Amino acid sequence: MNLPLTFDLLQHPLAVPMVTLFYTIVHVLPGNLIRLYLFRRYLRFSPQLIIAGLLVLIGIETMIQIEAVTVFSRRIAFPFLFFIFFYLIAVTRVPMAKQICIIAPLGLLWFGMQTVVYAIEDAYPVFEIPFLLSGLLTLANLLIIIPFCLYYGRTIADPLLADDSFDAVWKPLAWLGTLILVLTILLSPFNELRTNTALFVRLSAAIGAFCCIGLALYAMNERLRQRALREQLAREAEMAEITRQNAAQMEENERTTRTFRTQFTALLEKVEENLADGDYTGIEHLMRDAAAQINTNYAPVCGNETVNILIGYWQPVFDRLGARTEYRIEIGTENPIDPLDLTAILGNLLRNAAEAMERLSPTAERILRLALVHQADMLFLTMDNSFDGTLRYDADGNLLSSKRGCIEHGIGMESIRASLARYDGAMEVAVEDGLFSVDMTLTTSVDSYGDVPSVERSGQYGEVDGIS
């Protein structure tokens, strides 16, 4: 800074501290508040407490700036940028590499925006006080930056934050993004030479890095969408297969009923003949044979067709395993949630229960208890089933699939969580009395799903022994 400007600033004793405070807040606080908003669902503490800590760091930097220098110093600001960066990483539950990858495009965008702001201030020094014009321009640019950041959060950040895939990709991509940003800052000639050429070099690096990392994140997001689509198609195919099998079973039941009616007519004729002859022993044998031929294994568990189809599909499996099944179903004929989501939740739970029982020893007791209750606008689901007593969780407390060696999350549980999210649902997993227990609550609206076409009803369903 030249002496005349320094002398002019000294004539205004509040100018230096005020512009230092203004610059520090404007150039640090908005970007970090946007970052906190994008990670709002994954913070370790309340947002108010985290923002208070952020303001403390900004206040410390401001006091050091005012006491140590005449005007703002980047040498002091640069370390505090790192302090704040790692502070926000520490208070967020998302792994560091994943955080860096997700915020890298926004960081490069912010970096490019401030480069343009500095260039404008150098070319058109409207105010004598340094950084005042750049601060005002930063505030003006927030009207453009914030909507873009919110759009980025909805379309790119939120889906990637909600999924734990691509673990092997986050670290290399994070190193690449950090290296590009650091090299762009340190090696750019714009730091010393405020020329158009230097500005072009710096912006080109920022834009190139933004495009590369942004494309990588977009590709990951598209892969997640494709996987979600495949899961939805799998649920629809499973529902169609269940419906087909139950339709075939219904046809078989109708044929059995017609045969039984014919046999029953013949039986009545024989009974009348034996009765006329006084052969009561023969009548007793006829009744015993007829009772053995009547199929009473399966009956509907409730008035809801989707639930009946799902339970009727898995009940023969539980019967084959020798499981004791107990059901408490209090649900109306109309589906409280979308049938595909009901299939994803209840169908996957029944599947997981059957697979858990198959892993038990032949002599182990097998129990399945299912309660499904719809009250007002809430749907409550509780399932307890026998299992081998082995559970594995990841660092965030999510259950790992035993079918995948307890190293990955089960697709079934991920499908359940995706369906729960659509109804503000909550799920708790625990071990109670040696049984694997799942408790769920969902917010429902019959009006929203009452018009969903009903699934064709089967005439025979799983055996009901009571509440389990």
Side-chain angles (χ1 to χ4, degrees):
M1 174 180 298
N2 54 36
L3 289 178
L5 180 56
T6 304
F7 180 78
D8 292 339
L9 288 175
L10 292 176
Q11 305 305 313
H12 304 85
L14 294 179
V16 173
M18 291 304 294
V19 74
T20 301
L21 177 63
F22 175 74
Y23 176 86
T24 303
I25 291 177
V26 168
H27 288 260
V28 175
L29 192 58
N32 288 298
L33 290 179
I34 292 173
R35 181 220 178 284
L36 284 176
Y37 179 79
L38 294 181
F39 290 82
R40 63 192 181 280
R41 296 189 182 92
Y42 307 92
L43 301 178
R44 297 183 185 275
F45 311 99
S46 67
Q48 294 81 2
L49 185 63
I50 295 174
I51 293 174
L54 180 62
L55 292 176
V56 169
L57 288 174
I58 294 176
I60 294 174
E61 179 190 353
T62 303
M63 288 188 292
I64 294 176
Q65 292 275 14
I66 293 173
E67 292 295 330
V69 296
T70 305
V71 290
F72 191 86
S73 170
R74 290 193 182 93
R75 291 183 178 87
I76 297 176
F78 199 70
F80 273 93
L81 289 176
F82 279 94
F83 293 156
I84 292 174
F85 177 77
F86 287 107
Y87 164 72
L88 293 180
I89 283 181
V91 298
T92 305
R93 291 186 288 106
V94 180
M96 180 188 299
K98 189 173 183 178
Q99 289 192 56
I100 293 175
C101 292
I102 291 177
I103 65 176
L106 296 183
L108 291 165
L109 177 66
W110 191 270
F111 173 72
M113 180 267 291
Q114 290 199 334
T115 299
V116 175
V117 165
Y118 294 151
I120 294 176
E121 185 177 48
D122 286 339
Y124 304 99
V126 178
F127 304 104
E128 289 185 347
I129 301 177
F131 308 114
L132 180 57
L133 178 60
S134 63
L136 295 175
L137 290 175
T138 299
L139 289 177
N141 286 334
L142 287 177
L143 299 176
I144 301 174
I145 296 296
I146 290 179
F148 175 82
C149 292
L150 298 180
Y151 175 78
Y152 173 86
R154 290 192 304 270
T155 58
I156 302 296
D158 286 349
L160 291 174
L161 286 171
D163 192 271
D164 58 357
S165 301
F166 318 117
D167 291 341
V169 180
W170 293 122
K171 289 185 180 179
L173 190 60
W175 278 109
L176 176 62
T178 303
L179 180 63
I180 293 174
L181 184 59
V182 171
L183 291 179
T184 303
I185 294 174
L186 297 180
L187 301 182
S188 170
F190 187 74
N191 290 332
E192 289 77 24
L193 304 174
R194 302 299 178 92
T195 64
N196 292 333
T197 301
L199 174 64
F200 176 77
V201 172
R202 187 165 181 171
L203 286 180
S204 298
I207 293 173
F210 174 84
C211 293
C212 291
I213 298 178
L215 285 174
L217 296 181
Y218 177 78
M220 294 181 187
N221 201 30
E222 286 300 309
R223 183 179 173 185
L224 288 180
R225 292 179 182 177
Q226 292 294 325
R227 191 178 74 174
L229 180 60
R230 288 195 299 269
E231 291 178 356
Q232 181 179 358
L233 292 176
R235 290 199 301 269
E236 292 178 353
E238 181 179 9
M239 192 66 180
E241 177 63 18
I242 292 174
T243 304
R244 185 192 65 79
Q245 292 190 17
N246 278 272
Q249 182 65 45
M250 184 175 64
E251 294 178 359
E252 178 64 25
N253 293 339
E254 290 178 354
R255 288 193 295 268
T256 302
T257 301
R258 288 194 296 268
T259 303
F260 177 76
R261 286 176 179 174
T262 302
Q263 294 174 347
F264 190 74
T265 301
L267 174 66
L268 289 178
E269 293 176 354
K270 292 182 179 180
V271 169
E272 290 176 354
E273 293 177 359
N274 291 342
L275 185 61
D277 297 338
D279 185 4
Y280 297 104
T281 304
I283 294 176
E284 183 179 351
H285 288 305
L286 288 174
M287 292 299 100
R288 188 181 299 113
D289 293 341
Q293 296 178 19
I294 298 175
N295 181 9
T296 59
N297 285 339
Y298 303 113
V301 297
C302 66
N304 185 276
E305 297 175 354
T306 304
V307 176
N308 283 332
I309 288 174
L310 290 170
I311 294 179
Y313 178 78
W314 286 104
Q315 186 63 45
V317 178
F318 296 131
D319 291 343
R320 175 178 57 81
L321 294 171
R324 178 165 56 89
T325 58
E326 302 173 4
Y327 301 118
R328 175 192 172 191
I329 309 296
E330 297 178 9
I331 186 172
T333 57
E334 295 182 340
N335 291 308
I337 62 175
D338 189 286
L340 290 179
D341 290 315
L342 186 57
T343 301
I345 295 173
L346 183 55
N348 277 304
L349 287 178
L350 292 171
R351 178 195 300 275
N352 291 343
E355 292 173 347
M357 292 181 189
E358 287 180 342
R359 289 192 292 271
L360 296 175
S361 64
T363 58
E365 183 181 17
R366 290 168 170 81
I367 299 174
L368 174 71
R369 299 171 183 165
L370 171 64
L372 185 63
V373 180
H374 183 209
Q375 294 180 350
D377 60 347
M378 298 297 296
L379 182 64
F380 303 93
L381 188 153
T382 300
M383 178 179 288
D384 303 325
N385 63 266
S386 304
F387 76 115
D388 59 8
T390 302
L391 294 178
R392 296 290 184 271
Y393 298 89
D394 64 8
D396 295 329
N398 295 319
L399 192 66
L400 296 174
S401 174
S402 57
K403 292 182 292 184
R404 303 181 177 190
C406 292
I407 60 174
E408 297 181 15
H409 301 99
I411 295 177
M413 294 301 290
E414 291 300 315
S415 180
I416 290 173
R417 290 191 181 93
S419 296
L420 285 176
R422 283 189 277 273
Y423 304 95
D424 295 329
M427 177 175 64
E428 293 185 1
V429 177
V431 177
E432 299 179 0
D433 300 328
L435 301 177
F436 180 78
S437 177
V438 179
D439 293 319
M440 298 183 185
T441 58
L442 298 88
T443 303
T444 68
S445 174
V446 174
D447 294 337
S448 300
Y449 301 99
D451 297 332
V452 176
S454 299
V455 182
E456 184 169 342
R457 188 169 190 168
S458 172
Q460 301 287 336
Y461 297 96
E463 180 179 358
V464 181
D465 295 333
I467 299 176
S468 153

